[in-house]
Amino acid sequence: MPELPEVEVVRRGLVSWVRGRTITSVDVMDPRSIRRHLLGAEDFAGNLEGARVLDVVRRGKFLWLPLAETADEPGPGDGPAARPSRPRVALMAHLGMSGQLLMQDSDVPDEKHLKVRLRLSPADGMPEQLRFVDQRIFGGLFVTTLVPTADGGPGGLGETPAPFIAEEASHIARDPLDPHFSFDSFYRRLRTRKTGLKRALLDQGLVSGIGNIYADEALWRARLHYARPTDTLRRADALRVLDAAREVMLDALAAGGTSFDSLYVNVNGASGYFDRSLNAYGRENQQCKRCADAGIVSLMKREQFMNRSSYTCPVCQPRPRNGRW
DNA sequence: AACGCGACCTGCGAGC
DNA sequence: TGCTCGCAGGTCGCGT
């Protein structure tokens, strides 16, 4: 579930099912899904078994579960007096292009692409297993350490552990929905880049959470072409495209994310329906909706850019000339 | 230092 | 029917 809204749908879904529960056993059915855990499957399982899940935190498209290393170590809900030393490790997840995190009862047959199974301590009315399913294996799980954040703010969206972030997510910028996202610092860095606007929007170190779909949607809403040079971009234009990204991702979140097929589902296996609201992505040769409202005939164009497809309206998102508008 | 490309994977639909 | 090709929501590492 690759972009921010889809990952956030998973995070929200997961919180109520796993927070406070203990991981009792781990099955790795395909070691490729934990290849970023360099010490291998046995070490991976050993780190998780007996650990208690404190929360589910997201930064950009990275998701992690801070862990209390023993089951009886107090968690965030146990009151200030019982607060433990901060958690030091976390179970990290990235969904890549096709990863899913699913809560399943034990009697549900294994999915075709089931890669990792976590069994959780029993809890009333809750599924016993957290499953990582991944067709293309671009995603994966691994255990990592928590390190201080660069700006001293919260690590990501989620409630604990405030100033700490999973190490492999520490180079990822805040996303436009993060309350600590700073437009000023984004814009300052944007102007120093010598690249095109879409490439910058997809650079997770500059602003995170935006992928190919929402980049095209944000550019369409802001009436900007993907090749607009970043070093001459006016503040008002940068603000417009960032606001557009925030809006479109919030709308998508409210719709449960974008699903074209069963690959993109929430933790209960349900699809989102934002695909019906897309204005640019996937609309090759279809009439631009905004131009149609203005009585202008204009067909959306698909072009190869960065080895992937980009969709633009040739009328309301004209290609820049000479590095200027 | 930062940009931009290829690699990492499986499966599906289109076209022959 | 079955082959090949192009395509798919992402990230990382290398060469320039």
Side-chain angles (χ1 to χ4, degrees):
Chain A
M1 299 263 254
E3 303 185 45
L4 184 154
E6 293 75 34
V7 181
E8 179 62 12
V9 164
V10 170
R11 190 193 72 80
R12 292 182 183 181
L14 224 41
V15 171
S16 57
W17 294 124
V18 304
R19 186 150 65 183
R21 294 174 76 184
T22 298
I23 299 168
T24 56
S25 75
V26 177
D27 296 333
V28 177
M29 4 285 278
D30 188 337
R32 290 176 299 177
S33 288
I34 60 155
R35 63 182 180 278
R36 290 191 71 180
H37 192 92
L38 301 178
L39 297 177
E42 218 172 296
D43 184 83
F44 176 78
N47 271 283
L48 296 178
E49 285 168 1
R52 188 157 75 127
V53 177
L54 296 175
D55 208 345
V56 185
V57 182
R58 179 187 61 72
R59 176 102 162 205
K61 303 169 198 168
F62 284 84
L63 201 62
W64 64 93
L65 282 56
L67 301 171
E69 290 174 56
T70 58
D72 40 62
E73 194 176 331
D78 296 341
R83 185 145 302 232
S85 58
R86 70 171 182 89
R88 289 188 181 79
V89 297
L91 170 60
M92 186 75 157
H94 198 290
L95 302 175
M97 291 282 261
S98 55
Q100 305 176 345
L101 286 166
L102 302 174
M103 295 301 304
Q104 296 285 37
D105 287 317
S106 302
D107 56 7
V108 174
D110 288 0
E111 292 76 8
K112 183 176 179 191
H113 298 291
L114 177 62
K115 303 299 181 185
V116 180
R117 184 203 324 274
L118 306 184
R119 287 194 183 78
L120 303 173
S121 52
D124 263 357
M126 293 196 186
E128 276 181 19
Q129 300 185 4
L130 172 56
R131 299 181 183 179
F132 181 70
V133 175
D134 192 6
Q135 178 193 106
R136 293 179 68 185
I137 330 182
F138 286 174
L141 304 181
F142 53 97
V143 176
T144 188
T145 54
L146 296 170
V147 299
T149 54
D151 59 12
L157 209 60
E159 299 187 2
T160 54
F164 296 98
I165 186 167
E167 193 167 17
E168 286 79 1
S170 59
H171 66 294
I172 302 293
R174 293 185 184 276
D175 64 64
L177 305 189
D178 186 327
H180 290 78
F181 176 82
S182 161
F183 174 77
D184 287 342
S185 86
F186 163 77
Y187 181 60
R188 211 176 307 126
R189 294 183 63 203
L190 183 73
R191 291 281 302 219
T192 68
R193 300 292 176 100
K194 289 192 67 71
T195 190
L197 182 53
K198 181 170 177 181
R199 207 183 285 279
L201 292 176
L202 294 176
D203 182 344
Q204 305 295 300
L206 193 58
V207 54
S208 71
I210 303 174
N212 202 37
I213 294 178
Y214 298 110
D216 278 5
E217 293 299 312
L219 289 165
W220 182 87
R221 289 192 184 206
R223 305 183 190 221
L224 293 169
H225 191 273
Y226 61 77
R228 274 294 291 275
T230 52
D231 57 349
T232 55
L233 195 70
R234 283 185 297 261
R235 186 183 167 87
D237 289 333
L239 195 55
R240 210 165 65 250
V241 76
L242 248 287
D243 281 345
R246 189 178 295 111
E247 278 170 25
V248 71
M249 292 196 293
L250 279 172
D251 289 350
L253 191 52
T258 298
S259 314
F260 302 121
D261 54 46
S262 59
L263 236 40
Y264 303 94
V265 294
N266 67 17
V267 295
N268 308 310
S271 292
Y273 51 89
F274 191 69
D275 60 309
R276 295 169 213 170
S277 306
L278 296 175
N279 292 310
Y281 188 85
R283 299 197 68 248
E284 183 180 21
N285 291 329
Q286 295 179 53
Q287 169 68 40
C288 169
K289 297 182 186 177
R290 180 170 45 220
C291 290
D293 290 345
I296 299 164
V297 175
S298 173
L299 301 183
M300 300 293 294
K301 195 164 63 170
R302 179 167 77 95
E303 291 167 288
Q304 286 300 117
F305 176 69
M306 293 176 73
N307 290 325
R308 53 217 312 199
S309 295
S310 281
Y311 299 86
T312 52
C313 170
V315 172
C316 57
Q317 296 171 272
R319 177 178 280 278
R321 299 174 210 278
N322 310 327
R324 296 276 163 184
W325 188 231

